[in-house]
Amino acid sequence: RVNRYNTLLIDFQDVEGNFKTYQRIFAKIPKDGERKKFATGKGLVAGAFHIMGDRTLSNGDNILLCEGYATSASVYECIGGKYRVIMGVDSGNLFEVAKAIKLKIQNIKIIIAADFDDAGIKAAKACCEAGVADSYILPPLSEADKQAKRTDWNDVYITVGADATRAALLKALENPITPAKLNEQRDYDNPQPN
């Protein structure tokens, strides 16, 4: 929700549905220069997340796990009817969120809608290699996008709009990057001597 100061308030829960903390995203950058802040004295609890839309997780859900709110909101708007969209806050928390969900709900598929930067790709690969995520997808970004520091699905949404972003998401989801593909890539990059 947005408060009277035009600040976005985002609640975070654990896998049991218990409230853990909240984040504020300010419309105007405050004097201290921090546009995003967690509740005073609390900070992010590892593994806490925000579910876009319906607040429950169920067996058989297909989850798209994103980093930040703007990316999560864009993905949710484009394909939220087909997938449950979860905000994990940042690349450093994705593993804890995916692990908590996988431990609680066995029959669930987690795909990471990764940011196309070093931290995002590293986190997505780590989740897949550890088996807490099933696969990940990357936004279709050009070299010009990368040089302009556009790195996520929200940047795609802003650049090309909802319909083109929806099409790009669905295309990426047809052939996501899986642990098996990671192994193939790793073997290709580091050939073993005969």
Side-chain angles (χ1 to χ4, degrees), residues 30 86 95 125:
I86 294 178
F95 184 89
K125 284 182 178 180

Side-chain angles (χ1 to χ4, degrees), residues 4 23 30 33-34 39 50 58 67 73 76-77 83 85 104 129-130 136 149 155 159 179 188-191:
R4 66 181 184 207
Q23 181 184 45
E34 290 187 49
H50 176 82
S58 305
E67 287 187 33
Y76 180 73
E77 182 181 329
Y83 292 84
V85 180
K104 174 72 175 170
E129 289 171 338
Y136 69 94
K149 302 204 186 293
D155 293 325
T159 305
Y188 178 78
D189 288 343
N190 301 301

Side-chain angles (χ1 to χ4, degrees), residues 140-142 145 148 150 152-162 164-165:
L141 297 169
S142 66
D145 288 321
R150 292 188 282 267
D152 59 38
W153 287 98
N154 176 249
D155 293 325
V156 174
Y157 183 95
I158 290 169
T159 305
V160 300
T165 303

Side-chain angles (χ1 to χ4, degrees), residues 96-111:
E96 294 301 325
V97 171
K99 180 174 84 172
I101 292 170
K102 281 281 190 175
L103 287 173
K104 174 72 175 170
I105 306 169
Q106 301 301 314
N107 182 25
I108 203 158
K109 184 177 182 180
I110 298 176
I111 302 167

Side-chain angles (χ1 to χ4, degrees), residues 42-58:
K42 291 190 177 184
L44 177 66
V45 176
F49 53 88
H50 176 82
I51 302 175
M52 306 299 289
D54 182 9
R55 302 300 178 143
T56 59
L57 296 176
S58 305

